[in-house]
Amino acid sequence: GRRLPEQFDKDTFFELVGYLPRTDEVRSFHASPARTRIAHAPARTSKSYAAAHEALYHCFPSWEMVGGKPRFIREPTGERRIWLVGPDYKTIKEWDYLWWNLVVQRRKNPVLSKLYKITQKANSPHQGNMRIGMEFGEDASGNPVQVVVEGKSATNPESLQGEQVYLAVLSEAAEMDEKILSRYLGTRCRYVVAPTTPKLSAEWLRRLIDDGHSHPELSIDSFQFTPFANPQYDWDLYW
């Protein structure tokens, strides 16, 4: 198997999981340091696919090599929480990609499989139970570093309260109420990624994009993907 790299930058990680961003806009989406990133584009343009791989990257904490062994860096708040929030549990496409990579394909990746063990797993959208618990090696103090990935529903906004979240993915954000971000998640997330098909009714999302253009200090970046981002796009149907 391949050895653990000294540095785990995003390009190295994407290579390890076999993910290849195909267009400049998708590459810019992944490279952006903005706190909030909005990918708004028509269906089948790889928005969810890109957002899922961005979330997948953040499921792996950073580390330092000490004596040939990794010492993982623990979040000051404890567990690193990754939330995938959809209009309802059954429509979170990003969850399927993460489940496939973290659970189904885990043992087939000779590098990533050495990094963590799964402590919890549940994939029951109909019961609203979507959770992957991951435990990595120890930090400098000898404590295990833990990451929790959860699927959440915007139809139950009260469940979005109370936790510090490292990354929230708002799947099809245009179908959600503005309060999901402004009231429940905006002040408690380190990063927000919002892949969505534009909708005229989502005026709040358009205002957010415009604010990002007008006020760089807000750290909001937006991207428009094209069908060229999807190698399996149905061009015959498009024309």
Side-chain angles (χ1 to χ4, degrees):
R2 297 175 61 178
R3 296 184 59 189
L4 197 62
E6 291 286 333
Q7 291 186 331
F8 208 35
D9 59 66
K10 198 174 289 185
D11 289 338
T12 301
F13 179 83
F14 287 164
E15 181 185 344
L16 287 172
V17 299
Y19 170 60
L20 177 65
R22 291 175 54 85
T23 65
D24 288 341
E25 193 72 5
V26 178
R27 285 187 283 271
S28 297
F29 165 79
H30 289 301
S32 171
R35 178 178 175 268
T36 301
R37 280 173 284 171
I38 303 167
H40 56 113
R44 300 280 297 159
T45 51
S46 296
K47 301 182 302 297
S48 297
Y49 193 57
H53 282 85
E54 182 68 21
L56 182 64
Y57 169 75
H58 287 288
C59 288
F60 291 82
S62 301
W63 67 76
E64 300 172 327
M65 297 300 288
V66 180
K69 294 183 178 181
R71 286 288 178 263
F72 290 89
I73 299 173
R74 192 168 183 263
E75 293 300 314
T77 55
E79 295 177 330
R80 174 178 289 194
R81 295 187 176 275
I82 310 287
W83 280 5
L84 310 181
V85 185
D88 57 62
Y89 290 107
K90 298 185 292 297
T91 57
I92 309 173
K93 290 198 295 183
E94 294 81 2
W95 170 264
D96 295 332
Y97 293 126
L98 262 68
W99 181 269
W100 173 257
N101 280 282
L102 294 174
V103 179
V104 179
Q105 292 288 94
R106 174 178 171 267
R107 296 190 181 277
K108 296 182 180 180
N109 193 307
V111 176
L112 299 186
S113 62
K114 297 176 182 178
L115 292 181
Y116 69 98
K117 61 181 179 181
I118 296 175
T119 57
Q120 302 175 59
K121 56 181 179 179
N123 190 6
S124 301
H126 292 284
Q127 282 77 44
N129 187 12
M130 303 163 72
R131 184 181 179 93
I132 304 169
M134 306 165 65
E135 185 173 284
F136 292 77
E138 297 177 345
D139 64 8
S141 301
N143 300 310
V145 174
Q146 298 177 320
V147 175
V148 177
V149 184
E150 293 182 280
K152 297 283 186 175
S153 172
T155 59
N156 184 20
E158 288 73 21
S159 69
L160 305 176
Q161 300 184 91
E163 304 280 5
Q164 289 292 323
V165 180
Y166 184 85
L167 169 69
V169 177
L170 304 186
S171 181
E172 291 299 345
E175 296 184 17
M176 300 183 200
D177 194 282
E178 180 178 6
K179 68 180 180 182
I180 297 299
L181 181 60
S182 62
R183 183 187 303 176
Y184 294 107
L185 292 175
T187 60
R188 292 185 293 103
C189 293
R190 182 168 177 179
Y191 299 109
V192 173
V193 171
T196 188
T197 304
K199 293 185 69 175
L200 292 176
S201 58
E203 179 58 29
W204 68 271
L205 199 60
R206 169 54 59 186
R207 290 199 308 272
L208 201 63
I209 293 170
D210 291 342
D211 286 345
H213 293 154
S214 305
H215 303 283
E217 70 277 7
L218 294 177
S219 193
I220 301 170
D221 215 347
S222 59
F223 307 86
Q224 288 185 291
F225 292 3
T226 70
F228 295 103
N230 182 356
Q232 299 176 327
Y233 193 78
D234 191 340
W235 286 103
D236 290 338
L237 182 61
Y238 173 82
W239 292 116

